[in-house]
PDB file of all heavy atoms in Angstrom:
ATOM      1  N   ARG R   5      30.324   8.806 304.214  1.00 94.00           N
ATOM      2  CA  ARG R   5      29.408   7.688 304.434  1.00 94.00           C
ATOM      3  C   ARG R   5      30.038   6.591 305.279  1.00 94.00           C
ATOM      4  O   ARG R   5      30.314   5.500 304.820  1.00 94.00           O
ATOM      5  CB  ARG R   5      28.896   7.195 303.087  1.00 94.00           C
ATOM      6  CG  ARG R   5      27.912   8.211 302.509  1.00 94.00           C
ATOM      7  CD  ARG R   5      27.935   8.285 301.052  1.00 94.00           C
ATOM      8  NE  ARG R   5      29.249   8.593 300.541  1.00 94.00           N
ATOM      9  CZ  ARG R   5      29.557   8.514 299.265  1.00 94.00           C
ATOM     10  NH1 ARG R   5      28.678   8.133 298.405  1.00 94.00           N
ATOM     11  NH2 ARG R   5      30.762   8.827 298.856  1.00 94.00           N
ATOM     12  N   LYS R   6      30.320   6.975 306.519  1.00 95.00           N
ATOM     13  CA  LYS R   6      30.778   5.969 307.485  1.00 95.00           C
ATOM     14  C   LYS R   6      29.783   5.956 308.639  1.00 95.00           C
ATOM     15  O   LYS R   6      29.145   6.974 308.918  1.00 95.00           O
ATOM     16  CB  LYS R   6      32.194   6.269 307.959  1.00 95.00           C
ATOM     17  CG  LYS R   6      32.357   7.493 308.818  1.00 95.00           C
ATOM     18  CD  LYS R   6      33.799   7.584 309.299  1.00 95.00           C
ATOM     19  CE  LYS R   6      34.063   8.913 309.977  1.00 95.00           C
ATOM     20  NZ  LYS R   6      35.455   9.079 310.352  1.00 95.00           N
ATOM     21  N   GLU R  60      25.310  -4.975 309.123  1.00 98.00           N
ATOM     22  CA  GLU R  60      24.889  -3.641 308.678  1.00 98.00           C
ATOM     23  C   GLU R  60      23.859  -3.867 307.575  1.00 98.00           C
ATOM     24  O   GLU R  60      24.117  -4.590 306.617  1.00 98.00           O
ATOM     25  CB  GLU R  60      26.092  -2.847 308.136  1.00 98.00           C
ATOM     26  CG  GLU R  60      25.791  -1.369 307.926  1.00 98.00           C
ATOM     27  CD  GLU R  60      26.838  -0.652 307.078  1.00 98.00           C
ATOM     28  OE1 GLU R  60      27.328  -1.259 306.111  1.00 98.00           O
ATOM     29  OE2 GLU R  60      27.142   0.513 307.378  1.00 98.00           O
ATOM     30  N   MET R 236      22.488  -5.463 299.915  1.00 96.00           N
ATOM     31  CA  MET R 236      23.454  -4.403 299.661  1.00 96.00           C
ATOM     32  C   MET R 236      24.702  -4.591 300.508  1.00 96.00           C
ATOM     33  O   MET R 236      24.641  -5.173 301.583  1.00 96.00           O
ATOM     34  CB  MET R 236      22.843  -3.045 300.014  1.00 96.00           C
ATOM     35  CG  MET R 236      21.795  -2.585 299.034  1.00 96.00           C
ATOM     36  SD  MET R 236      21.098  -1.031 299.543  1.00 96.00           S
ATOM     37  CE  MET R 236      19.726  -0.928 298.395  1.00 96.00           C
ATOM     38  N   ARG R 237      25.798  -4.047 299.987  1.00 96.00           N
ATOM     39  CA  ARG R 237      27.032  -3.981 300.776  1.00 96.00           C
ATOM     40  C   ARG R 237      27.396  -2.513 300.987  1.00 96.00           C
ATOM     41  O   ARG R 237      27.266  -1.978 302.067  1.00 96.00           O
ATOM     42  CB  ARG R 237      28.171  -4.704 300.057  1.00 96.00           C
ATOM     43  CG  ARG R 237      28.159  -6.201 300.223  1.00 96.00           C
ATOM     44  CD  ARG R 237      29.422  -6.799 299.608  1.00 96.00           C
ATOM     45  NE  ARG R 237      29.437  -8.247 299.688  1.00 96.00           N
ATOM     46  CZ  ARG R 237      29.852  -8.930 300.751  1.00 96.00           C
ATOM     47  NH1 ARG R 237      30.274  -8.284 301.820  1.00 96.00           N
ATOM     48  NH2 ARG R 237      29.852 -10.251 300.752  1.00 96.00           N
ATOM     49  N   MET R 242      29.032   1.412 294.516  1.00 93.00           N
ATOM     50  CA  MET R 242      30.368   0.970 294.147  1.00 93.00           C
ATOM     51  C   MET R 242      30.477  -0.527 293.893  1.00 93.00           C
ATOM     52  O   MET R 242      31.096  -0.950 292.930  1.00 93.00           O
ATOM     53  CB  MET R 242      31.365   1.334 295.245  1.00 93.00           C
ATOM     54  CG  MET R 242      31.692   2.808 295.290  1.00 93.00           C
ATOM     55  SD  MET R 242      32.621   3.215 296.747  1.00 93.00           S
ATOM     56  CE  MET R 242      34.125   2.321 296.417  1.00 93.00           C
ATOM     57  N   ASP R 249      19.004  -6.173 286.347  1.00 92.00           N
ATOM     58  CA  ASP R 249      19.245  -6.364 284.911  1.00 92.00           C
ATOM     59  C   ASP R 249      17.951  -6.189 284.118  1.00 92.00           C
ATOM     60  O   ASP R 249      16.877  -6.367 284.671  1.00 92.00           O
ATOM     61  CB  ASP R 249      19.821  -7.775 284.695  1.00 92.00           C
ATOM     62  CG  ASP R 249      21.180  -7.922 285.375  1.00 92.00           C
ATOM     63  OD1 ASP R 249      21.912  -6.921 285.445  1.00 92.00           O
ATOM     64  OD2 ASP R 249      21.490  -9.036 285.830  1.00 92.00           O
ATOM     65  N   PRO R 250      18.069  -5.888 282.823  1.00 94.00           N
ATOM     66  CA  PRO R 250      19.288  -5.789 282.026  1.00 94.00           C
ATOM     67  C   PRO R 250      19.863  -4.369 281.970  1.00 94.00           C
ATOM     68  O   PRO R 250      20.852  -4.166 281.269  1.00 94.00           O
ATOM     69  CB  PRO R 250      18.810  -6.201 280.631  1.00 94.00           C
ATOM     70  CG  PRO R 250      17.416  -5.661 280.563  1.00 94.00           C
ATOM     71  CD  PRO R 250      16.861  -5.745 281.964  1.00 94.00           C
ATOM     72  N   LYS R 257      21.973   3.266 294.536  1.00 95.00           N
ATOM     73  CA  LYS R 257      22.427   4.585 294.085  1.00 95.00           C
ATOM     74  C   LYS R 257      21.474   5.168 293.032  1.00 95.00           C
ATOM     75  O   LYS R 257      21.031   6.296 293.141  1.00 95.00           O
ATOM     76  CB  LYS R 257      23.852   4.449 293.534  1.00 95.00           C
ATOM     77  CG  LYS R 257      24.362   5.636 292.789  1.00 95.00           C
ATOM     78  CD  LYS R 257      25.220   6.527 293.651  1.00 95.00           C
ATOM     79  CE  LYS R 257      25.794   7.646 292.809  1.00 95.00           C
ATOM     80  NZ  LYS R 257      26.353   8.703 293.608  1.00 95.00           N
ATOM     81  N   ARG R 278      19.566 -10.826 293.794  1.00 93.00           N
ATOM     82  CA  ARG R 278      20.905 -11.379 293.971  1.00 93.00           C
ATOM     83  C   ARG R 278      21.166 -11.658 295.446  1.00 93.00           C
ATOM     84  O   ARG R 278      20.788 -10.869 296.308  1.00 93.00           O
ATOM     85  CB  ARG R 278      21.943 -10.385 293.474  1.00 93.00           C
ATOM     86  CG  ARG R 278      22.491 -10.703 292.131  1.00 93.00           C
ATOM     87  CD  ARG R 278      23.471  -9.638 291.697  1.00 93.00           C
ATOM     88  NE  ARG R 278      23.088  -9.089 290.417  1.00 93.00           N
ATOM     89  CZ  ARG R 278      23.364  -9.676 289.257  1.00 93.00           C
ATOM     90  NH1 ARG R 278      24.043 -10.792 289.229  1.00 93.00           N
ATOM     91  NH2 ARG R 278      22.971  -9.142 288.127  1.00 93.00           N
ATOM     92  N   THR R 281      26.511 -13.734 297.485  1.00 92.00           N
ATOM     93  CA  THR R 281      27.589 -14.224 296.617  1.00 92.00           C
ATOM     94  C   THR R 281      27.536 -13.554 295.249  1.00 92.00           C
ATOM     95  O   THR R 281      28.492 -13.634 294.482  1.00 92.00           O
ATOM     96  CB  THR R 281      27.443 -15.737 296.347  1.00 92.00           C
ATOM     97  OG1 THR R 281      26.138 -15.945 295.781  1.00 92.00           O
ATOM     98  CG2 THR R 281      27.581 -16.554 297.601  1.00 92.00           C
ATOM     99  N   HIS R 283      25.020 -14.537 293.378  1.00 92.00           N
ATOM    100  CA  HIS R 283      24.153 -15.524 292.730  1.00 92.00           C
ATOM    101  C   HIS R 283      22.743 -14.961 292.599  1.00 92.00           C
ATOM    102  O   HIS R 283      22.213 -14.372 293.534  1.00 92.00           O
ATOM    103  CB  HIS R 283      24.138 -16.810 293.570  1.00 92.00           C
ATOM    104  CG  HIS R 283      23.020 -17.746 293.229  1.00 92.00           C
ATOM    105  ND1 HIS R 283      23.013 -18.488 292.083  1.00 92.00           N
ATOM    106  CD2 HIS R 283      21.869 -18.041 293.887  1.00 92.00           C
ATOM    107  CE1 HIS R 283      21.899 -19.210 292.054  1.00 92.00           C
ATOM    108  NE2 HIS R 283      21.192 -18.953 293.135  1.00 92.00           N
ATOM    109  N   LYS R 284      22.164 -15.162 291.420  1.00 91.00           N
ATOM    110  CA  LYS R 284      20.816 -14.639 291.182  1.00 91.00           C
ATOM    111  C   LYS R 284      19.794 -15.742 291.419  1.00 91.00           C
ATOM    112  O   LYS R 284      19.947 -16.856 290.906  1.00 91.00           O
ATOM    113  CB  LYS R 284      20.736 -14.199 289.721  1.00 91.00           C
ATOM    114  CG  LYS R 284      20.307 -12.775 289.550  1.00 91.00           C
ATOM    115  CD  LYS R 284      20.392 -12.473 288.083  1.00 91.00           C
ATOM    116  CE  LYS R 284      19.702 -11.219 287.739  1.00 91.00           C
ATOM    117  NZ  LYS R 284      19.673 -10.980 286.312  1.00 91.00           N
TER     118      LYS R 284
ATOM    119  N   LEU W  51      31.453  -2.632 290.735  1.00 92.00           N
ATOM    120  CA  LEU W  51      30.361  -2.867 289.782  1.00 92.00           C
ATOM    121  C   LEU W  51      30.560  -4.119 288.931  1.00 92.00           C
ATOM    122  O   LEU W  51      29.970  -4.229 287.860  1.00 92.00           O
ATOM    123  CB  LEU W  51      30.209  -1.659 288.850  1.00 92.00           C
ATOM    124  CG  LEU W  51      29.871  -0.335 289.532  1.00 92.00           C
ATOM    125  CD1 LEU W  51      29.978   0.807 288.531  1.00 92.00           C
ATOM    126  CD2 LEU W  51      28.480  -0.376 290.123  1.00 92.00           C
ATOM    127  N   SER W  54      27.431  -7.853 287.853  1.00 93.00           N
ATOM    128  CA  SER W  54      26.435  -8.133 286.827  1.00 93.00           C
ATOM    129  C   SER W  54      26.982  -7.836 285.432  1.00 93.00           C
ATOM    130  O   SER W  54      27.630  -6.807 285.208  1.00 93.00           O
ATOM    131  CB  SER W  54      25.179  -7.299 287.121  1.00 93.00           C
ATOM    132  OG  SER W  54      24.732  -6.621 285.973  1.00 93.00           O
ATOM    133  N   SER W  56      25.374  -6.974 282.858  1.00 94.00           N
ATOM    134  CA  SER W  56      24.769  -5.786 282.246  1.00 94.00           C
ATOM    135  C   SER W  56      25.403  -4.507 282.781  1.00 94.00           C
ATOM    136  O   SER W  56      25.547  -3.526 282.064  1.00 94.00           O
ATOM    137  CB  SER W  56      23.256  -5.779 282.437  1.00 94.00           C
ATOM    138  OG  SER W  56      22.923  -5.739 283.787  1.00 94.00           O
ATOM    139  N   GLN W  80      30.517 -16.660 299.898  1.00 93.00           N
ATOM    140  CA  GLN W  80      29.646 -15.686 300.562  1.00 93.00           C
ATOM    141  C   GLN W  80      30.356 -14.363 300.869  1.00 93.00           C
ATOM    142  O   GLN W  80      29.736 -13.316 300.877  1.00 93.00           O
ATOM    143  CB  GLN W  80      29.183 -16.351 301.874  1.00 93.00           C
ATOM    144  CG  GLN W  80      28.272 -15.525 302.731  1.00 93.00           C
ATOM    145  CD  GLN W  80      26.817 -15.662 302.300  1.00 93.00           C
ATOM    146  OE1 GLN W  80      26.480 -16.498 301.480  1.00 93.00           O
ATOM    147  NE2 GLN W  80      25.963 -14.825 302.851  1.00 93.00           N
ATOM    148  N   TYR W  82      32.569 -11.693 303.355  1.00 95.00           N
ATOM    149  CA  TYR W  82      32.405 -11.279 304.746  1.00 95.00           C
ATOM    150  C   TYR W  82      31.065 -10.601 304.955  1.00 95.00           C
ATOM    151  O   TYR W  82      30.448 -10.085 304.025  1.00 95.00           O
ATOM    152  CB  TYR W  82      33.519 -10.308 305.143  1.00 95.00           C
ATOM    153  CG  TYR W  82      34.900 -10.909 305.059  1.00 95.00           C
ATOM    154  CD1 TYR W  82      35.917 -10.254 304.383  1.00 95.00           C
ATOM    155  CD2 TYR W  82      35.177 -12.141 305.654  1.00 95.00           C
ATOM    156  CE1 TYR W  82      37.187 -10.800 304.290  1.00 95.00           C
ATOM    157  CE2 TYR W  82      36.440 -12.690 305.561  1.00 95.00           C
ATOM    158  CZ  TYR W  82      37.450 -12.022 304.882  1.00 95.00           C
ATOM    159  OH  TYR W  82      38.692 -12.570 304.791  1.00 95.00           O
ATOM    160  N   ASN W  84      28.515  -7.636 306.492  1.00 97.00           N
ATOM    161  CA  ASN W  84      28.564  -6.181 306.558  1.00 97.00           C
ATOM    162  C   ASN W  84      28.872  -5.741 307.980  1.00 97.00           C
ATOM    163  O   ASN W  84      28.557  -6.479 308.904  1.00 97.00           O
ATOM    164  CB  ASN W  84      27.205  -5.609 306.139  1.00 97.00           C
ATOM    165  CG  ASN W  84      27.040  -5.587 304.623  1.00 97.00           C
ATOM    166  OD1 ASN W  84      27.999  -5.720 303.885  1.00 97.00           O
ATOM    167  ND2 ASN W  84      25.817  -5.393 304.180  1.00 97.00           N
ATOM    168  N   SER W  86      30.961  -4.061 305.052  1.00 97.00           N
ATOM    169  CA  SER W  86      32.058  -4.545 304.226  1.00 97.00           C
ATOM    170  C   SER W  86      32.644  -3.450 303.339  1.00 97.00           C
ATOM    171  O   SER W  86      33.746  -3.619 302.817  1.00 97.00           O
ATOM    172  CB  SER W  86      31.621  -5.740 303.380  1.00 97.00           C
ATOM    173  OG  SER W  86      30.419  -5.482 302.714  1.00 97.00           O
ATOM    174  N   GLU W  89      33.014   4.552 303.716  1.00 97.00           N
ATOM    175  CA  GLU W  89      33.862   5.690 303.355  1.00 97.00           C
ATOM    176  C   GLU W  89      34.551   6.144 304.637  1.00 97.00           C
ATOM    177  O   GLU W  89      33.893   6.269 305.674  1.00 97.00           O
ATOM    178  CB  GLU W  89      32.991   6.809 302.779  1.00 97.00           C
ATOM    179  CG  GLU W  89      33.759   7.944 302.143  1.00 97.00           C
ATOM    180  CD  GLU W  89      32.831   8.984 301.504  1.00 97.00           C
ATOM    181  OE1 GLU W  89      31.666   9.083 301.918  1.00 97.00           O
ATOM    182  OE2 GLU W  89      33.279   9.688 300.601  1.00 97.00           O
ATOM    183  N   ASN W 103      31.626 -14.147 295.552  1.00 94.00           N
ATOM    184  CA  ASN W 103      31.380 -14.339 294.115  1.00 94.00           C
ATOM    185  C   ASN W 103      30.555 -15.591 293.907  1.00 94.00           C
ATOM    186  O   ASN W 103      30.551 -16.488 294.745  1.00 94.00           O
ATOM    187  CB  ASN W 103      32.707 -14.404 293.356  1.00 94.00           C
ATOM    188  CG  ASN W 103      33.346 -15.767 293.430  1.00 94.00           C
ATOM    189  OD1 ASN W 103      33.194 -16.592 292.543  1.00 94.00           O
ATOM    190  ND2 ASN W 103      34.038 -16.034 294.538  1.00 94.00           N
ATOM    191  N   PRO W 104      29.840 -15.656 292.773  1.00 94.00           N
ATOM    192  CA  PRO W 104      28.938 -16.796 292.551  1.00 94.00           C
ATOM    193  C   PRO W 104      29.634 -18.042 291.999  1.00 94.00           C
ATOM    194  O   PRO W 104      28.965 -19.048 291.746  1.00 94.00           O
ATOM    195  CB  PRO W 104      27.946 -16.242 291.522  1.00 94.00           C
ATOM    196  CG  PRO W 104      28.719 -15.218 290.764  1.00 94.00           C
ATOM    197  CD  PRO W 104      29.725 -14.628 291.725  1.00 94.00           C
ATOM    198  N   GLU W 108      28.660 -20.252 287.343  1.00 95.00           N
ATOM    199  CA  GLU W 108      27.489 -19.376 287.252  1.00 95.00           C
ATOM    200  C   GLU W 108      27.852 -18.046 286.586  1.00 95.00           C
ATOM    201  O   GLU W 108      27.031 -17.455 285.882  1.00 95.00           O
ATOM    202  CB  GLU W 108      26.889 -19.105 288.640  1.00 95.00           C
ATOM    203  CG  GLU W 108      25.702 -18.167 288.487  1.00 95.00           C
ATOM    204  CD  GLU W 108      24.832 -18.034 289.714  1.00 95.00           C
ATOM    205  OE1 GLU W 108      24.846 -18.946 290.565  1.00 95.00           O
ATOM    206  OE2 GLU W 108      24.124 -17.013 289.803  1.00 95.00           O
ATOM    207  N   GLU W 112      26.948 -14.135 283.220  1.00 94.00           N
ATOM    208  CA  GLU W 112      27.206 -12.690 283.261  1.00 94.00           C
ATOM    209  C   GLU W 112      28.220 -12.303 282.173  1.00 94.00           C
ATOM    210  O   GLU W 112      28.085 -11.268 281.530  1.00 94.00           O
ATOM    211  CB  GLU W 112      27.731 -12.268 284.646  1.00 94.00           C
ATOM    212  CG  GLU W 112      26.851 -12.685 285.835  1.00 94.00           C
ATOM    213  CD  GLU W 112      25.511 -11.951 285.905  1.00 94.00           C
ATOM    214  OE1 GLU W 112      25.293 -10.992 285.126  1.00 94.00           O
ATOM    215  OE2 GLU W 112      24.667 -12.356 286.721  1.00 94.00           O
ATOM    216  N   TRP W 293      31.620   5.774 292.030  1.00 86.00           N
ATOM    217  CA  TRP W 293      30.388   6.002 292.799  1.00 86.00           C
ATOM    218  C   TRP W 293      29.710   7.295 292.354  1.00 86.00           C
ATOM    219  O   TRP W 293      28.503   7.446 292.427  1.00 86.00           O
ATOM    220  CB  TRP W 293      30.657   6.006 294.314  1.00 86.00           C
ATOM    221  CG  TRP W 293      31.329   7.238 294.840  1.00 86.00           C
ATOM    222  CD1 TRP W 293      32.663   7.422 295.037  1.00 86.00           C
ATOM    223  CD2 TRP W 293      30.708   8.461 295.241  1.00 86.00           C
ATOM    224  NE1 TRP W 293      32.900   8.676 295.515  1.00 86.00           N
ATOM    225  CE2 TRP W 293      31.721   9.336 295.658  1.00 86.00           C
ATOM    226  CE3 TRP W 293      29.375   8.907 295.290  1.00 86.00           C
ATOM    227  CZ2 TRP W 293      31.470  10.626 296.116  1.00 86.00           C
ATOM    228  CZ3 TRP W 293      29.122  10.187 295.743  1.00 86.00           C
ATOM    229  CH2 TRP W 293      30.164  11.030 296.148  1.00 86.00           C
TER     230      TRP W 293
END
Side-chain angles (χ1 to χ4, degrees):
Chain R
R5 288 147 303 169
K6 69 175 171 185
E60 192 194 39
M236 288 178 190
R237 279 187 183 276
M242 286 170 66
D249 296 328
K257 168 97 175 166
R278 258 178 235 279
T281 56
H283 164 73
K284 235 175 166 185
Chain W
L51 299 171
S54 131
S56 62
Q80 180 85 9
Y82 298 130
N84 280 345
S86 49
E89 190 176 24
N103 81 96
E108 179 168 337
E112 306 291 352
W293 75 265

